[in-house]
Amino acid sequence: MKLIGRHLTRGLIYLDCFRMIPALVGTIIPFFWQLVNLYGVLPAAVIIFGVFQLLIVSLAAVIYPCLLFQVSFITVYGLAALLMAAAVFSWLFINISINRQAGFKLIKLQFSTRIALLLLGLLLGHRLVPLPVSPRATFWDMHLKPHLAGKLKSKSPEEIIAAIQHDYQQAKKLMVNDVFFGCSPGSFKGLLLEAGIQESQFIMLETIIPTEHARVFGLERPFYFYILSFR
């Protein structure tokens, strides 16, 4: 009985549960980018829109009986849509805050989750990635900054390595236990090693994304899925 009492008092709700609000969005959005790489913008947009619609309807179905069926389902649907919009804005706020604080030169981060990382490993590489992480680890979907996407050829290897070193130092300073993951055409392995990142700190998987899809970026190279940990 004491254990039940503790669960109903001290263990009723933990502060980490509030991360579930932006984490819901952070789990879905990484799939949009990789579905774009796999199938194109239009199919990806339709799929992700459908997923958000399912979530809103599910949330409305939970709220509806809580209001004792006293309001119309359309009204409850609108309330659920507002709550989902609040989740999106909280996710955007986290992203803006961390990117401003870190001042990265090469990458930008989007708040994500362990679930997104594991499922993307299955989607893109047909495997679950074994990755020892801290219980307090935060997961970040990593992208090149928009103005650099498809334009790294205009940068010298030395400039890219210097930018990676800068971003690596910033990440080590601010995100000791965090995990970064992302997908990009072409291999960055040599550049990562040149920048001083040890091979044990990252995993690189070749993905099932067709090579010709990299032409959007002005390239024709295999896509690789990267996972970096700075523990």
Side-chain angles (χ1 to χ4, degrees):
M1 291 300 294
K2 285 184 178 180
L3 181 59
I4 294 173
R6 288 173 188 164
H7 276 298
L8 294 176
T9 53
R10 186 184 305 171
L12 185 63
I13 186 169
Y14 296 119
L15 288 176
D16 282 352
C17 79
F18 294 107
R19 296 177 66 183
M20 292 173 61
I21 299 171
L24 180 64
V25 180
T27 300
I28 298 169
I29 295 299
F31 284 91
F32 171 72
W33 303 119
Q34 303 318 319
L35 288 171
V36 166
N37 288 332
L38 273 169
Y39 305 119
V41 174
L42 183 58
V46 170
I47 291 169
I48 296 302
F49 178 76
V51 170
F52 273 110
Q53 285 297 312
L54 285 172
L55 288 172
I56 292 170
V57 170
S58 299
L59 183 58
V62 172
I63 296 172
Y64 193 42
C66 294
L67 297 177
L68 303 177
F69 309 102
Q70 296 300 305
V71 295
S72 69
F73 189 79
I74 295 299
T75 303
V76 177
Y77 175 87
L79 176 60
L82 286 175
L83 291 174
M84 185 59 67
V88 171
F89 280 114
S90 67
W91 175 78
L92 288 171
F93 177 77
I94 291 172
N95 297 341
I96 292 169
S97 298
I98 194 64
N99 284 294
R100 281 184 178 173
Q101 185 180 2
F104 294 125
K105 291 184 177 180
L106 194 66
I107 62 171
K108 70 169 188 174
L109 301 179
Q110 295 180 347
F111 180 64
S112 191
T113 63
R114 187 192 317 263
I115 294 173
L117 168 57
L118 293 175
L119 292 181
L120 281 174
L122 285 173
L123 174 68
L124 300 176
H126 293 165
R127 59 180 288 191
L128 284 170
V129 181
L131 186 68
V133 295
S134 162
R136 291 292 179 184
T138 300
F139 293 79
W140 301 95
D141 184 19
M142 177 177 58
H143 300 268
L144 286 175
K145 289 195 170 185
H147 70 277
L148 293 174
K151 298 179 181 177
L152 278 184
K153 291 185 293 185
S154 63
K155 303 287 184 181
S156 69
E158 291 76 18
E159 288 178 301
I160 297 172
I161 290 168
I164 293 173
Q165 288 173 333
H166 173 270
D167 292 356
Y168 173 53
Q169 293 302 323
Q170 290 298 99
K172 280 182 64 177
K173 190 187 305 180
L174 299 172
M175 308 167 182
V176 178
N177 295 312
D178 291 1
V179 177
F180 297 179
F181 63 91
C183 184
S184 177
S187 172
F188 281 83
K189 182 176 181 179
L191 294 171
L192 293 173
L193 294 173
E194 286 284 338
I197 300 176
Q198 298 177 11
E199 196 163 355
S200 61
Q201 291 179 292
F202 66 89
I203 298 171
M204 190 175 81
L205 306 173
E206 188 168 350
T207 73
I208 62 168
I209 301 172
T211 302
E212 57 269 22
H213 291 190
R215 292 173 188 164
V216 172
F217 301 97
L219 306 167
E220 191 159 352
R221 299 174 184 171
F223 282 80
Y224 292 92
F225 186 56
Y226 297 89
I227 304 166
L228 293 91
S229 176
F230 301 126
R231 293 184 67 187

